[in-house]
Amino acid sequence: MKLLSGNHLRALLFLLLTYSCAIKGWCKNFHAPLNDTSGVTGIVPAVQQWRPQQGYFNVEPEKVIIAVNIRDNNKLKTVSANLKADLTPLGFPHIEIIQSNIPLKGSIFLTLSSQTLPNGKESHRIRITSTQVVITGNSVEAIHFGARSVLQMVRAHAGNIPCGEVKDWPSYSRRMLMIDVGRKPWPLEVLKDYVRILSWHKMNELHLHLSDEAFGESYSAIRVQSDVFPQLAAKDLCYSKQEIKELVSFAKGYGIVITPEFDMPGHAAAFTNYFPDCMLKGYPNYLDVSNPKTLTIMKKFVDEMIPLFDAPDFHIGTDEYRVKYPPEEKEKLHQDFRRFINSMNAHIRSKGKNCRIWSGYESMMGKSVSVDSTVIVDMWDPYHDEHNGHLVINSSQYVSYYVPGCHYYGVNPEEVYNKWEPWQAGENVNKPQKNSPRLLGGKLHIWCDQGPTGYTMTEIADLVIPGIQAFAEKLWGTKGSASYDQYLNRSKAILPVSNVTVLNRLELQRSPSAPDVVLNIPNELELTSRNAIIDLPLAHADRADLEYPWTLSVDLKKLQTVEGKNVFLSSDLVELCGNYSWKQKEKIENNGQQNEQIHSGIGIVRAAGARQGTGSPAETYLSHDVSNGFEQQLPLNQWTNLTIVAFKGGASVYINGQKIGETNNQILCPLRHIGSNYGDSFVGKIRNLKVWNRNLSNEEIENTAVSNAKTSSSSIR
């Protein structure tokens, strides 16, 4: 045996020391959470573990290979197809899917793990080298979510993704979004967009609130076709059974389960309208739980709906059933209410599903009847005392409720990111504690209280996506950024979500010389009577409202003083008015009392709620809550320049370049008609009508007003 020389021994010791330090560094990096300095900013929610390495994997635009392990091909067909579909719009039009036993050079390789990875069904690993990407996981869903991480990195790093290894898994099994499609019609394609958005952020459940009534109770809807009760489904938008099955299948391919909810026995006007003999006396939107026929009909309806969905849970609502009965009648009704829940629970469980309800049944005391412990509780009201033993979902109203267009509730993504935790699900001693097996996860909610009008699909998506991102990260169980600003940089880097169109704004023909101008009518037009109307290019289009940011400038010359709102620009959702009237309570001097005074002036009317009367935007329930007036009258026989600048959450109004007021209601620019379609038009002349798809600066607003005033002077001469 030849002994090592001193030089060789020193060299060997140096190599061993270097290797030892590398191993220590490897372990340290691997167990450190992802953060903004780790080299991988392009993943939301942040991964559980990341080990960075030197180099980059370049996704080549000329040819991308998605290789699927031959043994797993049948199981991973949808995953590979969706990966291809979502990678293509990111700038990679040439993608080939092949089968292979081993990872290939230049490929993204998908393979189910031959040995179970720790940390559950959704656990997966991603190994990125300079020559290939390998995604390994415990399940089809795990591989799919690993592919979402790779897609996000491609988006954030323009196809040049850093090498390293990810080990990832969720801390909570249920990561959810609820959409209230009962009060507001949501097109099927929009729901598919939300499936893509949720999946992109590794959420795994879309809860559809499929029945309810809007404020005022003149509008109610059940959104799914029923053959057993053919007239039950909504007339304005109803998903056929085939469409539901299509959505369920589509969502499953994206790792999302669709959980249905049909609200009963409260929030049930759509049912009581169809079954008036099942209505609780004095409560037109409540089912009578003491009537045996109610239970029979609801079971029959549920039996038809259950087979359409593959979710493990079936939700029956049960919230806000608040009845003021005499004491001698109240106790029996409360007990019957709880028996109704237990009967529906037993029936739903007999069909192989779990029954899920909202918290809030506690207000129906009747405590001699306990709600069965097998019922899963969506905990929206944190002040409860009966959920000991129930599986629960954190659905706290104070943290997770979006109500688009309304000035109550609301989600603060920064507060969610910095302070909220999924286990903070209640205020009483029986709430589930941190790491409790009773806590399934958490949910974000979109409630459409304003009914079938209110915010557009684009406005809603723009409002809620920041909340989806924050909830996704906290429900995954990681917090990958030291500060909210750092997190925002990471979250913005992965947007927009591939293949999602719901955020697309209104498209109009634009001049190459002025690409930010979406409408320009410089010539003079005249509305000669209250019934006069002039169609704009989008008069007969499906969509005729421009979402913020936008600026509108127009010159108006009133020729007659007429009754009504004097609408000079309109759509189905918005009216811009020259003489809008509103009531306002004001204190009377000396005695401190309040009186309602009528005011009038330039106004913006936005629809919100169900159509009333003629169906104009001003005649929708609660329209006054989202409409604004400014006490500035248009002078007679004189040109006046009006400019409106609309931004997120509000708009500013200018007369002749001077600001006269501001609204904190978000406004659409109506582009269907000049004048009113309801016989309430402005009578006068209009010119220099111009709309930009951005906010003009104060200087630009003043310059526009001055320019239009010069036009007015020259026309007088």
Side-chain angles (χ1 to χ4, degrees), residues 122-359:
E122 294 174 279
S123 180
H124 59 271
R125 295 180 180 177
I126 308 169
R127 181 165 52 85
I128 306 164
T129 69
S130 60
T131 58
Q132 61 198 202
V133 176
V134 178
I135 305 173
T136 307
N138 281 343
S139 63
V140 172
E141 294 88 347
I143 301 294
H144 172 80
F145 288 135
R148 300 299 100 183
S149 289
V150 172
L151 282 166
Q152 288 185 10
M153 292 168 74
V154 170
R155 164 73 82 190
H157 297 276
N160 191 31
I161 63 179
C163 294
E165 188 169 1
V166 166
K167 286 185 178 181
D168 210 7
W169 64 89
S171 299
Y172 296 90
S173 63
R174 306 283 186 97
R175 308 176 302 278
M176 318 171 199
L177 172 73
M178 188 221 73
I179 299 180
D180 176 5
V181 302
R183 291 184 177 103
K184 184 180 183 70
W186 287 63
L188 190 68
E189 290 306 312
V190 173
L191 295 183
K192 287 183 177 180
D193 268 354
Y194 274 84
V195 165
R196 294 185 182 98
I197 292 167
L198 294 179
S199 180
W200 187 262
H201 296 97
K202 301 189 186 71
M203 304 278 268
N204 65 356
E205 180 182 314
L206 177 58
H207 166 182
L208 295 181
H209 184 79
L210 288 159
S211 67
D212 213 324
E213 63 268 356
F215 285 150
E217 299 172 12
S218 65
Y219 180 89
S220 61
I222 293 173
R223 292 288 175 216
V224 182
Q225 168 196 349
S226 171
D227 298 324
V228 177
F229 305 110
Q231 301 304 312
L232 190 60
K235 302 299 185 291
D236 56 347
L237 186 146
C238 163
Y239 309 121
S240 69
K241 290 183 175 179
Q242 184 55 43
E243 285 175 323
I244 290 293
K245 290 177 181 177
E246 175 189 335
L247 178 63
V248 167
S249 176
F250 176 82
K252 186 176 182 179
Y254 275 87
I256 305 292
V257 66
I258 304 292
T259 295
E261 179 197 350
F262 296 93
D263 212 344
M264 60 182 84
H267 293 274
F271 288 113
T272 59
N273 289 340
Y274 192 82
F275 306 108
D277 52 340
C278 291
M279 184 188 80
L280 182 66
K281 185 178 179 181
Y283 294 86
N285 59 333
Y286 286 12
L287 288 164
D288 183 357
V289 291
S290 300
N291 184 345
K293 185 178 178 180
T294 297
L295 193 60
T296 300
I297 287 173
M298 288 300 100
K299 286 180 178 179
K300 198 171 182 180
F301 175 76
V302 162
D303 287 349
E304 185 182 12
M305 294 297 114
I306 281 178
L308 301 178
F309 301 89
D310 64 359
D313 299 351
F314 192 93
H315 205 306
I316 59 168
T318 76
D319 60 313
E320 298 182 314
Y321 193 81
R322 298 164 179 167
V323 180
K324 295 179 180 178
Y325 267 23
E328 62 273 14
E329 298 178 39
K330 183 187 293 185
E331 178 64 20
K332 181 182 183 303
L333 181 68
H334 286 196
Q335 290 175 358
D336 288 345
F337 172 79
R338 288 165 174 252
R339 291 190 183 102
F340 175 87
I341 293 174
N342 287 340
S343 294
M344 292 302 296
N345 174 53
H347 186 73
I348 289 167
R349 290 181 65 81
S350 75
K351 304 296 179 180
K353 302 285 186 179
N354 301 313
C355 179
R356 194 193 293 178
I357 67 172
W358 297 105
S359 63

Side-chain angles (χ1 to χ4, degrees), residues 40 147 153 365 374 522 574:
V40 179
M153 292 168 74
M365 302 306 288
T374 59
V574 180

